[in-house]
Amino acid sequence: MKVPSDGDVMMAKRKAEEHIESEGKRKKKKKLVTPRPACSWVHFSREFIKEYSASHPESSGLKAATKAASDAWKSMSLEEKATYTRRAREVWDNYLSTAPARAPKPRKQTKLVTRCSPGRLFNVLQHLTTEQKDAVKSMGFGSLLGLRCRTLRRSLCLWLLQRFNTSGRSLEICGKRIPISPKDVEFVMGLAASGKDVVNSGPDDLIADLRRSYNATNRGISVRLLEERLKAPEAGEEFKRSFVLYALGTLLSPTARLDVSPSFLHFLINIDVIHQYNWGNFLLDRLVREVSRFRQGKQRAVGGCLLFLQLFYYESVSVDGPAALVPTPVPCLSSWGEEEITEREKRERDLGGYGFGEVICKYSCTNMESSEYRNHIDVSPTLKTSTGVAHGSVFEQEGDKIKVANNLMTSSIACRGIDATAESTGKPCRNKEYGCNVTLDYNNDHEETCIFSPCACPLPNCNFTGSSEQLSLHFSSKHWDSGRRFRYNNPLSVSLGINEQFLVLQAEEDGILFLLNKSIESIGNMIMVTCIGPSSSKEKFLYDLVAGRGVSSLRLKSLAEYFPGRVEGFPPIDFLLIPFRFLGYSGQLELEVCIWNSKESGAGCS
């Protein structure tokens, strides 16, 4: 009989220990994890399936009920879904406030992987024709034409991502918490931070034709295909749709994949309303979503507009001290080219790296004469902060321009929303609820000329009141089928029925509302055009009215006067008197109207 050696004994002992250890791992129970809250669809489907199963006992089970719930959900309007959306949001907010933070999955990568590529969009922009650039501007993406940055600073973006609080939507840098809002997207990228929500969901059959036209697969729409289509000189609907898809897929809202999400086609069905969307909120929502998915380990690449995060940091943190602050144009996107960014990165290194600068007020050094940004600035004579910082600004108002002379007598400026409180003397403007932030201690005549004076919806059964901008958004979202849309400097044929007293016209370029008014007198119809807005508005519009019958025609060219709503009575302004013999057999009044901005040289309708 062979006697086991010491080596054999040690080998058997080691195998026994490994067996015990492996058995222990198998029996080890998984840790209990708080389940993630359900989305709005799940809340709806639970209720629907329960009711469906009770009312359809002959159905084939859960599969049929789920299919019926899916069809019902796709056919519901946003208002009908709102109940479930609010419920899901409340549950989600409660989950974020109570559930422990999930430990992120360990990552081996130290380099940033992203599909955000400003260089690709930059190259496409260089080859656009004048007509194509005008088309881009008409959709509200004109700020992108000023893009000068071609590469991301990936080390900075990776550093910012580590300090980006997705639940609080803020950057935690330099010992401060800097909140980020859609207004900041507008400030940096020049995209509108107001308007209708961008909804990228809906019945698939509505976009079936568009998916086929773009060869969309389950992975998405090819970026290379979009680049080829953008090379064509045409500037119509196909160009506009392709440009928005390309801008979203390469810069504004890229995903972790190389292709563009086909879900974007849902809000590109009607190109005419692209400019009415809240793109600032959409960009920020998508950035938060993509960063959250990256941290959860669901994707290797980081989606979202990282260029916004990079430029937001540059604008929020000064590396030269407050004395070096100078007015910058708005949006800031056009201020940062490769040379400026290279110089900024050099100064960051000289200070010792990122996060050694001083947090500054993001809006203290904007070009306040910029028309796009003037309404977003709180113009007050003095500003005091809780940190004891003195920040003096002298505002001199001459006509419709505001001159700013910054007297900075401090070593640091508190950022808005960061341990700072603004104190102002005097009472606020009576139009504060409509967006005006002016106080009346330095200009008591302001309310008479305030551009935020309320305007009323012209429709008789609507009681909405708001600023002219708010009214424009209200009408385009609530009464989109109750008026006619037109383009400036383009004749529009319209008709007024015998009982119609007015027709609402809305400009596609800026959403401004006009009224084509009619009053029946003893000898004919009196017609005039008015613009809905405060009488203090500086912008002036001309209109051309033509009524014809056979070889005869009547014409009026005049200035559209401002009224804060529907015209009551008949004010003493220019009008066109059209005899009854010009009416059609059914009493219809056929007209051709053309409206244009008085500042456009040579504009007019021939």
Side-chain angles (χ1 to χ4, degrees), residues 5-307:
S5 64
D6 293 341
D8 294 336
V9 173
M10 291 297 295
M11 181 65 72
K13 185 177 181 181
R14 187 179 297 112
K15 287 183 178 180
E17 290 176 351
E18 290 177 354
H19 178 72
I20 295 173
E21 184 179 352
S22 62
E23 287 293 326
K25 287 183 178 180
R26 290 196 193 103
K27 296 180 180 179
K28 188 176 181 181
K29 294 183 178 180
K30 292 184 178 180
K31 293 183 179 179
L32 295 176
V33 179
T34 305
R36 293 169 63 84
C39 63
S40 54
W41 147 251
V42 175
H43 285 282
F44 166 77
S45 62
R46 287 172 180 170
E47 291 184 4
F48 184 92
I49 291 174
K50 185 177 180 181
E51 296 176 359
Y52 184 88
S53 300
S55 58
H56 297 76
E58 75 287 352
S59 64
S60 58
L62 182 60
K63 184 177 181 179
T66 304
K67 178 65 169 60
S70 176
D71 294 339
W73 177 259
K74 290 180 179 180
S75 64
M76 291 171 62
S77 64
L78 293 178
E79 290 76 12
E80 293 172 326
K81 293 180 181 179
T83 301
Y84 303 100
T85 303
R86 286 193 297 268
R87 187 186 306 173
R89 173 55 61 184
E90 292 172 359
V91 175
W92 178 254
D93 292 340
N94 182 62
Y95 168 80
L96 292 177
S97 60
T98 58
R102 291 192 176 189
K105 294 183 179 180
R107 292 185 173 275
K108 295 181 180 180
Q109 69 181 80
T110 57
K111 294 183 179 180
L112 179 67
V113 179
T114 179
R115 309 304 180 198
C116 183
S117 177
R120 296 191 77 159
L121 180 61
F122 177 85
N123 293 334
V124 169
L125 293 174
Q126 305 312 304
H127 298 91
L128 296 184
T129 65
T130 302
E131 292 76 14
Q132 289 174 331
K133 290 180 180 179
D134 291 339
V136 172
K137 294 176 183 177
S138 69
M139 295 186 294
F141 290 88
S143 60
L144 298 183
L145 299 175
L147 176 67
R148 298 171 55 225
C149 171
R150 296 189 294 276
T151 57
L152 288 175
R153 295 309 187 261
R154 296 178 180 251
S155 57
L156 170 58
C157 291
L158 189 60
W159 183 82
L160 291 172
L161 288 173
Q162 295 168 352
R163 291 155 180 80
F164 183 36
N165 185 334
T166 54
S167 60
R169 300 196 173 196
S170 61
L171 275 178
E172 298 174 356
I173 54 178
C174 307
K176 302 288 185 180
R177 178 180 175 273
I178 308 178
I180 304 177
S181 70
K183 285 294 183 184
D184 297 312
V185 178
E186 183 176 35
F187 172 73
V188 174
M189 304 297 293
L191 302 178
S194 60
K196 298 187 294 185
D197 290 336
V198 182
V199 180
N200 60 323
S201 62
D204 292 336
D205 57 333
L206 293 180
I207 61 171
D209 292 338
L210 290 177
R211 287 180 66 100
R212 283 191 292 270
S213 67
Y214 284 100
N215 298 329
T217 64
N218 290 335
R219 295 186 60 84
I221 302 171
S222 171
V223 172
R224 294 182 183 275
L225 172 67
L226 294 174
E227 286 177 341
E228 290 299 321
R229 294 198 175 186
L230 290 175
K231 291 179 181 178
E234 69 93 17
E237 281 196 6
E238 184 177 349
F239 165 78
K240 292 180 179 180
R241 190 176 287 112
S242 298
F243 179 85
V244 174
L245 286 172
Y246 190 79
L248 292 172
T250 58
L251 178 65
L252 303 179
S253 183
T255 62
R257 297 179 176 179
L258 290 171
D259 299 325
V260 183
S261 173
S263 66
F264 294 162
L265 292 172
H266 283 288
F267 52 74
L268 294 176
I269 297 175
N270 185 1
I271 293 296
D272 294 335
V273 298
I274 293 297
H275 66 284
Q276 300 175 9
Y277 288 132
N278 188 335
W279 292 108
N281 187 62
F282 177 75
L283 185 148
L284 185 57
D285 283 346
R286 297 286 296 190
L287 176 63
V288 169
R289 173 183 178 271
E290 292 294 328
V291 174
S292 299
R293 289 177 59 84
F294 171 74
R295 288 180 176 173
Q296 294 166 9
K298 295 182 177 180
Q299 55 195 40
R300 180 171 175 266
V302 185
C305 186
L306 298 186
L307 179 64

Side-chain angles (χ1 to χ4, degrees), residues 276 472 475-476 484-486 504-508 511-513:
Q276 300 175 9
S472 172
F475 191 89
S476 59
R484 290 284 304 275
R485 296 181 63 81
F486 73 97
V504 183
L505 305 174
Q506 186 170 31
E508 292 185 2
I512 292 180
L513 297 176

Side-chain angles (χ1 to χ4, degrees), residues 211-483:
R211 287 180 66 100
R212 283 191 292 270
S213 67
Y214 284 100
N215 298 329
T217 64
N218 290 335
R219 295 186 60 84
I221 302 171
S222 171
V223 172
R224 294 182 183 275
L225 172 67
L226 294 174
E227 286 177 341
E228 290 299 321
R229 294 198 175 186
L230 290 175
K231 291 179 181 178
E234 69 93 17
E237 281 196 6
E238 184 177 349
F239 165 78
K240 292 180 179 180
R241 190 176 287 112
S242 298
F243 179 85
V244 174
L245 286 172
Y246 190 79
L248 292 172
T250 58
L251 178 65
L252 303 179
S253 183
T255 62
R257 297 179 176 179
L258 290 171
D259 299 325
V260 183
S261 173
S263 66
F264 294 162
L265 292 172
H266 283 288
F267 52 74
L268 294 176
I269 297 175
N270 185 1
I271 293 296
D272 294 335
V273 298
I274 293 297
H275 66 284
Q276 300 175 9
Y277 288 132
N278 188 335
W279 292 108
N281 187 62
F282 177 75
L283 185 148
L284 185 57
D285 283 346
R286 297 286 296 190
L287 176 63
V288 169
R289 173 183 178 271
E290 292 294 328
V291 174
S292 299
R293 289 177 59 84
F294 171 74
R295 288 180 176 173
Q296 294 166 9
K298 295 182 177 180
Q299 55 195 40
R300 180 171 175 266
V302 185
C305 186
L306 298 186
L307 179 64
F308 160 71
L309 213 56
Q310 174 181 314
L311 300 186
F312 178 80
Y313 169 78
Y314 290 158
E315 293 293 335
S316 301
V317 177
S318 171
V319 293
D320 297 317
L325 298 179
V326 294
T328 58
V330 176
C332 311
L333 181 67
S334 60
S335 302
W336 294 98
E338 292 300 310
E339 293 182 4
E340 292 83 359
I341 293 178
T342 300
E343 179 63 25
R344 169 64 185 244
E345 291 290 309
K346 180 179 180 297
R347 295 182 181 180
E348 294 275 2
R349 291 192 297 271
D350 293 342
L351 286 178
Y354 301 121
F356 287 92
E358 293 182 82
V359 175
I360 60 174
C361 177
K362 287 173 284 185
Y363 307 136
S364 61
C365 288
T366 57
N367 184 354
M368 299 184 70
E369 292 187 4
S370 171
S371 60
E372 294 86 358
Y373 195 65
R374 189 176 300 163
N375 293 336
H376 304 313
I377 301 178
D378 184 0
V379 182
S380 52
T382 59
L383 177 67
K384 298 180 181 179
T385 67
S386 59
T387 55
V389 177
H391 177 185
S393 298
V394 180
F395 293 81
E396 299 175 0
Q397 184 166 347
E398 297 181 3
D400 61 347
K401 296 184 178 180
I402 300 177
K403 293 186 177 180
V404 183
N406 287 314
N407 300 322
L408 299 173
M409 302 173 292
T410 177
S411 60
S412 64
I413 305 175
C415 177
R416 66 151 180 83
I418 307 176
D419 303 326
T421 57
E423 299 177 0
S424 60
T425 58
K427 65 175 183 177
C429 174
R430 66 188 178 193
N431 300 319
K432 182 178 180 180
E433 62 178 305
Y434 304 121
C436 184
N437 294 319
V438 176
T439 51
L440 302 181
D441 54 345
Y442 64 98
N443 188 356
N444 292 327
D445 297 327
H446 162 78
E447 290 182 342
E448 301 299 322
T449 58
C450 180
I451 62 174
F452 291 93
S453 296
C455 301
C457 182
L459 299 186
N461 297 324
C462 182
N463 298 320
F464 178 86
T465 301
S467 67
S468 56
E469 181 180 357
Q470 293 169 343
L471 177 60
S472 172
L473 295 174
H474 161 79
F475 191 89
S476 59
S477 61
K478 300 295 184 182
H479 310 301
W480 57 270
D481 58 345
S482 299

